[in-house]
Amino acid sequence: MFSAIQAVYGGQPIDTLRTPTEMAVALCTPARFMEFALKNIVLVAFDQFTDIDLFLMWDILGRNTQDWHVRILAASATVRSAHGLQVSVHGPLCEANSADAVLFVSGKEGIPAALVAADFLPAFALDPSRQRIGAVCAGAFILERLGLLSGQATTHPQARSGLQALGLECLDQPLVSQGNVATAGGCLAALYLVGWLVQSWFGVDKRRATLLPVLPAGQQELYDALIGLSIRQAEIGVSAASS
Amino acid sequence: MFSAIQAVYGGQPIDTLRTPTEMAVALCTPARFMEFALKNIVLVAFDQFTDIDLFLMWDILGRNTQDWHVRILAASATVRSAHGLQVSVHGPLCEANSADAVLFVSGKEGIPAALVAADFLPAFALDPSRQRIGAVCAGAFILERLGLLSGQATTHPQARSGLQALGLECLDQPLVSQGNVATAGGCLAALYLVGWLVQSWFGVDKRRATLLPVLPAGQQELYDALIGLSIRQAEIGVSAASS
């Protein structure tokens, strides 16, 4: 049984599973099996990363310790944000390859530097058949270089022409998803990227519960509708193009 | 002339002003005088602060270096976020007293601890007649203790009953402003607090230009309308109660 779990979750350690009783129930319930282990989410950073991108996903995802754990990875032990905050990271880039989800942040100066750094792109061997993979804004350029994008994507409006020059159709919408790969455009669309990730694993109710605590008071229903719409639009955009 | 500027800006160093030529023009144009010096904005943090609150305001405000500068203050040289990120701060709490704007972040565990810390509340001598003062979520409890709130306010929905118990009417809306003091509820309402601050100093166009870069692609007009509405609602809520 344990080896089966490890096969599904890419070698994720057994000790990240829940109690033996809970695990036994889950293993006897195929529908729950896939959702049972603690998901391993990593955020990939680098020097000159966009502050909001990383910290927004870090905070929202960090509030739930029952369904997943989230860590920040980089090529160095510390990274410095675009606005000068120094952050200690939790592991090297290669750990992304065994994660259940890998989310790349952006960086106006950070992305171009990361793309040419000798220790950055070569560290990744991601597999969208077993991993959810996403990027905020110019993080889409990393996905493109890793061969993870085709057809349509989104990015920050200011980076759109650059992504189009690489042969991608860049949509003017906050989220574009193709199977297990998603791109988000505009820093706050990181909210939608997190929503997409959680919903794709755990369904709409968990997505709502995850995002609710950070939504503006008195506007929670409005934001919830907007988030749901944006996640649906992300899929519709792709299917419309392929039809 | 310089002493006049210092009087208005609470001892802000002359070297934060723009070029001598620009300054001369401004000093001869009363309408522009108040808006001319670089505004000095501080974000007040403490251990166990809510990650998003601080980093969202830090990133948005940090993108403009022409109109203001933003710094993080705390009682200690480093603070640790609710989710474990360690941040080096830029100055002690007492520097808030000479700032043009003071924005307090939240923290489910951080706020109660800060309120009883011997070196926290006593450090502040804020003056809403010359300073803009704001708070996100439970940061409202700091404003209340500093005697800066009366009548109406907002906070995180989960903290509402606590604020009401202190005699305040807690509105179910993302932003409430009374003159130079504003409270925001729900982490992402920090966006509105920043918008309120910038708009109150520099007008609607500067507020739009400040927030635009972080808005989700394809939804910028929608968010801009929502931000404008929330800022207007913040004032309407207060005036409706006083009428």
Side-chain angles (χ1 to χ4, degrees):
Chain A
M1 284 291 190
F2 289 163
S3 61
I5 297 170
Q6 287 184 312
V8 172
Y9 290 100
Q12 182 172 332
I14 300 294
D15 65 5
T16 64
L17 293 168
R18 296 181 193 173
T19 67
T21 308
E22 287 179 309
M23 193 165 69
V25 171
L27 294 175
C28 300
T29 314
R32 287 190 60 205
F33 177 79
M34 287 294 290
E35 297 177 8
F36 194 74
L38 265 182
K39 302 288 189 187
N40 176 17
I41 304 172
V42 301
L43 310 177
V44 178
F46 35 78
D47 279 328
Q48 298 285 96
F49 69 87
T50 300
D51 300 52
I52 288 182
D53 296 1
L54 182 70
F55 297 127
L56 192 141
M57 297 196 291
W58 167 256
D59 188 340
I60 296 175
L61 290 167
R63 292 169 189 234
N64 180 323
T65 55
Q66 300 300 308
D67 299 303
W68 55 76
H69 56 104
V70 56
R71 300 164 73 237
I72 301 171
L73 307 182
S76 51
T78 62
V79 286
R80 196 174 171 84
S81 78
H83 293 318
L85 297 183
Q86 190 137 323
V87 173
S88 297
V89 308
H90 309 114
L93 295 177
C94 61
E95 292 187 11
N97 302 326
S98 59
D100 298 304
V102 184
L103 303 177
F104 292 89
V105 301
S106 187
K108 195 171 181 178
E109 296 174 24
I111 288 286
L115 290 177
V116 299
D119 57 356
F120 190 77
L121 287 176
F124 298 106
L126 304 183
D127 179 359
S129 73
R130 61 176 174 82
Q131 299 178 292
R132 303 285 200 283
I133 303 166
V136 183
C137 294
F141 289 83
I142 297 173
L143 301 195
E144 193 277 335
R145 286 286 290 278
L146 293 174
L148 295 164
L149 294 183
S150 63
Q152 298 180 317
T154 188
T155 186
H156 194 283
Q158 293 177 350
R160 195 171 292 152
S161 59
L163 207 56
Q164 287 169 329
L166 297 172
L168 291 162
E169 182 185 356
C170 206
L171 302 181
D172 186 25
Q173 62 186 55
L175 188 70
V176 172
S177 62
Q178 276 187 303
N180 284 345
V181 178
T183 48
C187 306
L188 291 181
L191 186 73
Y192 303 153
L193 184 64
V194 169
W196 164 81
L197 176 65
V198 173
Q199 183 171 319
S200 74
W201 274 335
F202 299 99
V204 171
D205 288 347
K206 181 76 76 180
R207 181 260 288 167
R208 285 193 169 127
T210 301
L211 300 182
L212 185 70
V214 305
L215 302 183
Q219 297 179 348
Q220 294 176 329
E221 287 185 18
L222 187 155
Y223 271 82
D224 183 64
L226 191 57
I227 292 163
L229 175 72
S230 301
I231 293 172
R232 284 195 299 278
Q233 181 195 42
E235 297 162 359
I236 290 166
V238 172
S239 54
S242 60
S243 63
Chain B
M1 284 291 191
F2 289 163
S3 62
I5 296 168
Q6 287 184 312
V8 171
Y9 289 100
Q12 183 172 328
I14 300 293
D15 65 6
T16 64
L17 293 168
R18 297 181 193 172
T19 67
T21 307
E22 286 179 310
M23 192 165 68
V25 171
L27 295 176
C28 299
T29 314
R32 287 189 59 205
F33 176 79
M34 287 294 291
E35 297 178 8
F36 192 75
L38 265 181
K39 301 289 189 188
N40 176 17
I41 303 171
V42 300
L43 310 177
V44 177
F46 35 78
D47 280 327
Q48 299 285 95
F49 69 86
T50 300
D51 299 54
I52 288 182
D53 296 2
L54 182 70
F55 297 128
L56 193 140
M57 297 196 290
W58 167 255
D59 188 339
I60 296 175
L61 289 167
R63 293 169 187 232
N64 180 322
T65 55
Q66 300 299 306
D67 299 303
W68 56 76
H69 56 104
V70 56
R71 299 164 72 237
I72 300 171
L73 306 182
S76 50
T78 62
V79 286
R80 196 173 172 85
S81 79
H83 293 318
L85 297 182
Q86 189 136 324
V87 173
S88 296
V89 309
H90 308 114
L93 294 177
C94 62
E95 293 186 11
N97 302 325
S98 59
D100 298 304
V102 184
L103 303 177
F104 292 88
V105 300
S106 187
K108 195 171 182 179
E109 296 175 23
I111 288 285
L115 291 177
V116 299
D119 56 355
F120 190 76
L121 287 176
F124 298 106
L126 305 182
D127 180 358
S129 73
R130 62 175 174 81
Q131 298 178 294
R132 303 287 199 284
I133 302 165
V136 182
C137 294
F141 289 83
I142 297 173
L143 300 196
E144 193 277 336
R145 288 286 291 277
L146 293 174
L148 295 164
L149 293 184
S150 63
Q152 298 180 317
T154 188
T155 187
H156 193 284
Q158 292 176 351
R160 196 171 291 151
S161 59
L163 208 55
Q164 285 170 331
L166 297 172
L168 290 163
E169 183 185 356
C170 206
L171 304 181
D172 186 25
Q173 61 186 57
L175 189 70
V176 172
S177 62
Q178 275 186 304
N180 284 344
V181 178
T183 48
C187 307
L188 291 180
L191 186 74
Y192 304 153
L193 184 64
V194 168
W196 164 80
L197 176 65
V198 173
Q199 183 171 318
S200 74
W201 274 336
F202 298 101
V204 171
D205 288 347
K206 180 75 76 180
R207 181 261 289 167
R208 285 193 169 127
T210 301
L211 300 182
L212 185 70
V214 305
L215 302 183
Q219 297 179 349
Q220 294 176 330
E221 287 186 19
L222 188 155
Y223 271 82
D224 183 65
L226 191 57
I227 293 162
L229 174 72
S230 301
I231 294 172
R232 284 196 300 279
Q233 180 195 42
E235 297 161 358
I236 290 167
V238 172
S239 54
S242 60
S243 63

